[in-house]
Amino acid sequence: MEILFYIASIVAVVSTIMVITRLNAVHALLYLVVSLLAVALIFFIIGAPFIAVLEVIIYAGAIMVLFLFVVMMLNLGKIAVEQERRWLSPGIWIGPAILSLILLLELIFMFAHSSQAIQATMISPKEVGVTLFGPYLLGVELAAMLLLASIVGAYHLSKRKKKAKHRFMEETAE
Amino acid sequence: MISIPMEFGLILAGTLFVLGLIGLMVRRNIIFVLMSIEIMINAAGAAFIFAGAKWGEPDGQIMFLFILAMSAAEVAVGLGLILQIYHKFQTLDGDTVSKMRG
């Protein structure tokens, strides 16, 4: 069973690397879906089946499809890929990549000294639900308000301004 | 019953986070920037899951649920902004909106 965890984590890291290096947005989104599925498998292995299901349904299902809708609505073609190629000249990778990798190595160095094991005990959805609607009830209500605000905000932001109020007023309207 | 080193899980979460950070700093296309932010949020949630699994408590999973709600809200607003920027400037370059006037 442990080998599944390591294989899934390698898949997650490799597909995430593919996400940040692709030129075509749709290809990157498909790799991101693969990465999220791998992370969901990891969650399932370490004993969080409810979160694994939510990761597949909400992240890989809903949010990524939202991204795909927007990419297809913008209708980016070959021109966008060429533009990406011009923006991504080889030199600009070096600085951010090296600095971030230094931070990652420091993190690994810090973790390398401790040795604790995760004993994967299954935490059932019932247990999660009881805790969610018990001590964390206020957080649930705040999350609901946040989602409501984001619905209103997204509707307001993605609304296109009307050019003219009436077809006969088209010349005067500005 | 399987047993996985705790630090390996945290290193995995850190690796995903750093990859998202590299993507955020390198890409100029705002769709890719938003995708990198998604990677980073997901990695932070994964760290919560690993910590929750270490102690065998559901609290880590509940934090992941809140992170999921926050991420969904952020994506909705961010994609609305991307649509508006594309309609206004006909480009997805993040640098075009660096000046906030009107």
Side-chain angles (χ1 to χ4, degrees):
Chain A
M1 274 301 265
E2 280 97 354
I3 194 72
L4 293 182
F5 177 85
Y6 295 113
I7 292 171
S9 50
I10 289 170
V11 169
V13 169
V14 170
S15 56
T16 308
I17 290 173
M18 298 299 270
V19 170
I20 61 172
T21 53
R22 288 309 90 184
L23 297 175
N24 194 327
V26 179
H27 297 173
L29 276 171
L30 292 178
Y31 275 115
L32 188 50
V33 170
V34 174
S35 165
L36 292 174
L37 290 179
V39 173
L41 180 60
I42 289 169
F43 289 165
F44 190 79
I45 291 170
I46 65 168
F50 184 53
I51 296 297
V53 168
L54 281 185
E55 175 104 0
V56 172
I57 293 175
I58 297 181
Y59 251 119
I63 296 181
M64 290 303 123
V65 169
L66 207 64
F67 266 102
L68 269 181
F69 272 141
V70 168
V71 170
M72 297 199 168
M73 222 163 112
L74 296 181
N75 203 8
L76 309 165
K78 289 202 167 58
I79 306 164
V81 175
E82 284 303 312
Q83 197 180 32
E84 277 295 308
R85 188 164 288 134
R86 256 183 289 118
W87 281 347
L88 273 185
S89 52
I92 61 173
W93 284 98
I94 298 170
I98 287 179
L99 290 177
S100 310
L101 287 179
I102 287 173
L103 290 180
L104 180 64
L105 287 178
E106 283 183 359
L107 195 69
I108 291 173
F109 181 74
M110 267 192 290
F111 286 141
H113 288 298
S114 68
S115 61
Q116 293 179 329
I118 297 176
Q119 302 292 336
T121 51
M122 183 78 83
I123 298 172
S124 65
K126 182 186 173 190
E127 214 172 325
V128 177
V130 166
T131 317
L132 184 63
F133 290 103
Y136 289 97
L137 188 59
L138 186 64
V140 174
E141 290 179 5
L142 287 175
M145 272 193 263
L146 175 70
L147 285 174
L148 178 67
S150 82
I151 289 171
V152 175
Y155 173 73
H156 180 72
L157 281 174
S158 51
K159 196 168 52 178
R160 286 213 226 174
K161 288 205 177 61
K162 267 191 188 166
K163 288 224 172 63
K165 287 198 175 61
H166 193 271
R167 61 199 158 107
F168 298 127
M169 291 165 63
E170 217 154 343
E171 292 85 15
T172 56
E174 173 48 42
Chain B
M1 174 65 78
I2 62 167
S3 143
I4 291 154
M6 172 76 181
E7 54 270 19
F8 190 85
L10 290 177
I11 285 170
L12 173 66
T15 309
L16 291 180
F17 191 89
V18 163
L19 285 174
L21 186 63
I22 293 174
L24 180 73
M25 288 192 285
V26 167
R27 305 305 291 247
R28 282 176 71 182
N29 191 327
I30 36 181
I31 288 183
F32 281 94
V33 169
L34 203 57
M35 272 157 63
S36 303
I37 291 173
E38 283 304 303
I39 296 171
M40 289 164 75
I41 289 175
N42 191 39
F48 271 108
I49 296 287
F50 286 123
K54 167 76 182 74
W55 301 108
E57 296 284 336
D59 300 70
Q61 302 193 19
I62 285 164
M63 285 313 292
F64 188 87
L65 280 177
F66 291 147
I67 289 172
L68 200 65
M70 188 270 293
S71 149
E74 176 251 335
V75 163
V77 175
L79 287 176
L81 280 173
I82 286 178
L83 281 180
Q84 283 299 91
I85 288 169
Y86 190 73
H87 287 142
K88 206 174 168 75
F89 298 100
Q90 296 300 320
T91 176
L92 284 174
D93 188 359
D95 291 348
T96 52
V97 281
S98 58
K99 290 187 183 65
M100 291 185 71
R101 50 189 174 80

